[in-house]
Amino acid sequence: MTYWYEGPLAAFDTETTGVDVETDRIVSAAVVVQDAPETLPRVSRWLVNPGVPVPAGAIAVHGLTEEHLQRNGRWPAPVMFEIAEQLAEHAARGRPLVVMNAPFDLTLLDRELRRHRASSLERWFPSVPLRVLDPRVLDKHLDRYRKGRRTLTDLCAHYGVELEGAHDAAADALAALEVVRALGRRFATRLERLSPAELHTLQANWHAAQARGLQSWFARNGSDETVSTEWPLRPELPAAA
């Protein structure tokens, strides 16, 4: 019997102008598909001219300068269409979608679709929903008492996954996919009987609990930062917000 973590998986990642899902833009994206462990992945890449300035802090992370994006990037509207179309195709084929910190990347994509296509991410999945596997949520639930940070780099180190070229969308997507496979193997007794659909529902609950815990920690330390409990997609803000 082949369990889900040994079967076909897709993964999605973005590089952006910043960390605000409501106002920042996608500058590069990648979808990686792997049919089984150790098989050659298939990679789709997009480079985007966001039409807005790219802050120095973002360039320091991913190395994509405004000049480079203006010269080589495509306009956002067709790119967002192509990404959403490909994610919908993977969902229709029954491939779970790995997204590290899903509420960030998927919400950014949703906002870009709204901005440039007068659409939304949910409209692409009217009958076959996304089945998302988020290594950050899975790891925090399955190994909740482990100390330390849980960035993609940290998870790769912990699970023995090689990460070459961090902050390249394709490299990060492939690494997140491999981390999910490693998580599946390590916690097989807790995960192998669960389907991706069941895991999707469970992760929404796990993420909400994790967010409430972080919110309490912020409150105890005098911070007014708000932590969203929504997963894998944050709801659209009211128009007046």
Side-chain angles (χ1 to χ4, degrees):
M1 179 177 180
T2 300
Y3 297 111
W4 59 263
Y5 50 84
E6 303 290 3
L9 295 176
F12 172 61
D13 191 74
T14 66
E15 297 299 329
T16 69
T17 60
V19 297
D20 188 329
V21 296
E22 302 298 339
T23 60
D24 280 306
R25 311 296 177 90
I26 294 172
V27 297
S28 71
V31 173
V32 175
V33 182
Q34 189 183 47
D35 293 324
E38 310 301 330
T39 61
L40 190 67
R42 303 186 298 279
V43 181
S44 300
R45 302 172 185 265
W46 294 268
L47 193 66
V48 185
N49 178 357
V52 299
V54 182
I59 295 171
V61 173
H62 51 60
L64 298 171
T65 66
E66 196 168 330
E67 180 183 10
H68 177 76
L69 294 169
Q70 289 175 351
R71 185 186 306 119
N72 300 290
R74 297 168 59 200
W75 289 112
V79 170
M80 303 311 150
F81 178 93
E82 290 169 14
I83 295 172
E85 184 178 51
Q86 191 166 138
L87 297 187
E89 178 185 341
H90 293 312
R93 290 177 178 271
R95 295 188 186 110
L97 182 68
V98 175
V99 191
M100 174 72 183
N101 192 15
F104 179 77
D105 292 86
L106 293 182
T107 303
L108 264 170
L109 176 59
D110 175 78
R111 302 313 190 250
E112 290 279 50
L113 286 166
R114 293 174 187 273
R115 186 177 292 123
H116 298 291
R117 303 291 311 188
S119 181
S120 70
L121 188 58
E122 290 179 337
R123 292 182 189 177
W124 286 87
F125 304 93
S127 57
V128 182
L130 272 173
R131 303 301 187 195
V132 177
L133 299 169
D134 188 333
R136 186 169 182 267
V137 174
L138 290 168
D139 177 69
K140 288 181 73 174
H141 177 78
L142 295 165
D143 198 1
R144 67 182 69 186
Y145 300 113
R146 189 178 80 250
K147 302 291 186 181
R149 289 154 46 90
R150 300 185 193 236
T151 66
L152 179 59
T153 300
D154 298 318
L155 295 186
C156 286
H158 183 70
Y159 288 101
V161 171
E162 186 174 358
L163 174 56
E164 292 185 4
H167 301 298
D168 169 83
D172 287 356
L174 179 58
L177 187 153
E178 295 288 1
V179 166
V180 164
R181 291 201 190 280
L183 270 162
R185 296 184 196 107
R186 184 169 299 189
F187 297 100
T189 56
R190 298 167 65 182
L191 295 177
E192 62 188 14
R193 296 184 182 278
L194 296 170
S195 69
E198 291 169 325
L199 269 175
H200 182 101
T201 300
L202 287 169
Q203 285 171 100
N205 296 328
W206 296 343
H207 176 271
Q210 292 162 9
R212 288 192 293 268
L214 182 57
Q215 188 74 74
S216 297
W217 186 88
F218 281 139
R220 290 195 303 272
N221 287 273
S223 172
D224 59 358
E225 185 169 347
T226 301
V227 183
S228 173
T229 59
E230 299 293 330
W231 182 96
L233 182 67
R234 297 179 190 174
E236 185 183 16
L237 290 174

